[in-house]
């Protein structure tokens, strides 16, 4: 009988596949065995970690159990430590309360209203807006005028303090700067305090000065304070 070439080719392919599979399996087994050399399985004996009946501790490095007396000592020490900490915190809180009381007393003494300076305050009013000069003093090379503004009118008012006119008793214009004064006074709003600073060299032989301020941009009101004493 003649063997069909197709059958022969199929048998050859199957033989090659079986051979390749066998070689691969043997090779994998060899590599796995060499990789696991020196690795031992875990000890699965159930009695290996049980405590010894004589010592009460594990035989092979298990968990150590504290005795009841040791536990009581630890709890007592912690309770005493918490008590001391609570007492210390209470003392610190009492000290903080005393310190706060002293600070409040000092602040009350410092915020006591100053006695009015002689000749002050000098106030003016226009369209419900008031401008008061509360005091004047020399400090750091400047004359410092403490002023207060308030709007009791029904409309808010805006100011641009570069338009503030300061003149001396000879009619000369003096340069001045402002600090703390608001750019806008709201209707029926609170009082606002600030300062007007004038360089001292400009006030040689000057006894009194005057202030003039108008709102911006409407210019519906004009605040004028005259004869403010500035003698040293």
């Amino acid at each position: 009988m003649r063997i069909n070439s197709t059958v022969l080719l199929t048998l050859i392919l199957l033989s090659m596949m079986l051979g390749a599979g066998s070689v691969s399996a043997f090779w994998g087994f060899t590599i796995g065995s060499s990789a696991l050399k020196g690795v031992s399985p875990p000890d699965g004996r159930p009695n290996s970690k049980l405590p010894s009946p004589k010592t009460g501790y594990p035989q092979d490095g298990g968990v150590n159990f504290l005795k009841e007396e040791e536990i009581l000592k630890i709890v007592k020490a912690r309770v005493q430590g918490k008590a001391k900490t609570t007492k210390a915190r209470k003392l610190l809180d009492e000290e903080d309360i005393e310190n706060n009381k002293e600070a409040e007393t000092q602040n009350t003494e410092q915020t006591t209203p100053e006695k009015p300076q002689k000749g002050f305050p000098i106030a003016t009013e226009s369209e419900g807006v008031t401008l008061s000069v509360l005091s004047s003093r020399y400090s750091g090379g400047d004359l410092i005028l403490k002023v207060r503004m308030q709007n009791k009118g029904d409309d808010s008012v805006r100011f641009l303090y570069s338009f503030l006119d300061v003149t001396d008793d000879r009619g000369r214009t003096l340069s001045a700067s402002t600090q703390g004064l608001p750019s806008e006074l709201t209707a029926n709003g609170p009082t606002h305090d600030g300062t007007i600073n004038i360089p001292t060299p400009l006030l040689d032989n000057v006894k009194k000065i005057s202030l003039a301020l108008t709102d911006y941009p409407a210019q519906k009101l004009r605040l004028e304070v005259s004869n403010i004493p500035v003698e040293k």
Side-chain angles (χ1 to χ4, degrees):
M1 294 179 59
R2 295 182 62 184
I3 300 175
N4 193 344
S5 60
T6 303
V7 175
L8 180 61
L9 181 60
T10 302
L11 293 175
I12 293 172
L13 291 175
L14 288 175
S15 301
M16 292 176 64
M17 292 174 62
L18 291 174
S22 300
V23 172
S24 298
F26 178 76
W27 189 25
F29 177 78
T30 303
I31 293 175
S33 299
S34 62
L36 293 176
K37 286 182 179 180
V39 179
S40 58
D43 188 0
R45 293 175 297 171
N47 296 328
S48 61
K49 295 183 180 180
L50 292 178
S52 172
K54 294 182 179 181
T55 61
Y57 294 99
Q59 295 178 354
D60 296 326
V63 179
N64 294 331
F65 294 96
L66 296 177
K67 295 182 180 180
E68 183 179 359
E69 296 179 355
E70 295 178 355
I71 295 175
L72 293 176
K73 288 180 181 180
I74 294 173
V75 172
K76 185 177 180 180
R78 289 186 178 180
V79 171
Q80 291 178 351
K82 288 182 179 180
K84 292 180 180 179
T85 303
T86 303
K87 186 176 180 180
R89 288 180 179 176
K90 186 176 180 181
L91 292 174
L92 290 175
D93 291 339
E94 291 177 354
E95 290 180 0
D96 290 339
I97 293 172
E98 292 296 329
N99 292 334
N100 291 334
K101 288 182 179 179
E102 292 178 0
E104 290 177 358
T105 303
Q106 293 177 357
N107 291 334
T108 303
E109 293 176 354
Q110 293 176 357
T111 55
T112 301
E114 298 178 357
K115 293 182 179 180
Q117 189 175 351
K118 185 178 180 180
F120 294 91
I122 305 173
T124 184
E125 187 269 339
S126 177
E127 301 293 334
V129 179
T130 59
L131 171 64
S132 303
V133 181
L134 305 180
S135 64
S136 68
R137 62 185 178 88
Y138 288 91
S139 176
D142 288 339
L143 170 67
I144 301 176
L145 300 178
K146 184 177 180 180
V147 298
R148 176 171 294 168
M149 301 181 69
Q150 186 178 17
N151 181 13
K152 297 181 180 179
D154 297 330
D155 299 321
S156 61
V157 182
R158 297 179 63 86
F159 292 99
L160 194 61
Y161 294 102
S162 59
F163 291 155
L164 174 66
D165 292 330
V166 182
T167 56
D168 62 10
D169 48 10
R170 300 178 186 179
R172 296 177 302 181
T173 301
L174 306 176
S175 63
S177 61
T178 61
Q179 291 183 354
L181 295 178
S183 60
E184 182 176 1
L185 294 176
T186 57
N188 295 312
T191 59
H192 298 272
D193 291 348
T195 61
I196 299 175
N197 304 335
I198 305 170
T200 302
L202 302 178
L203 300 172
D204 289 341
N205 300 321
V206 176
K207 297 181 180 179
K208 296 181 180 180
I209 62 173
S210 300
L211 305 176
L213 178 65
T214 184
D215 61 319
Y216 179 85
Q219 297 185 1
K220 293 182 178 179
L221 60 88
R222 184 175 177 82
L223 300 170
E224 294 184 89
V225 183
S226 304
N227 299 324
I228 303 171
V230 295
E231 286 185 291
K232 297 181 181 179

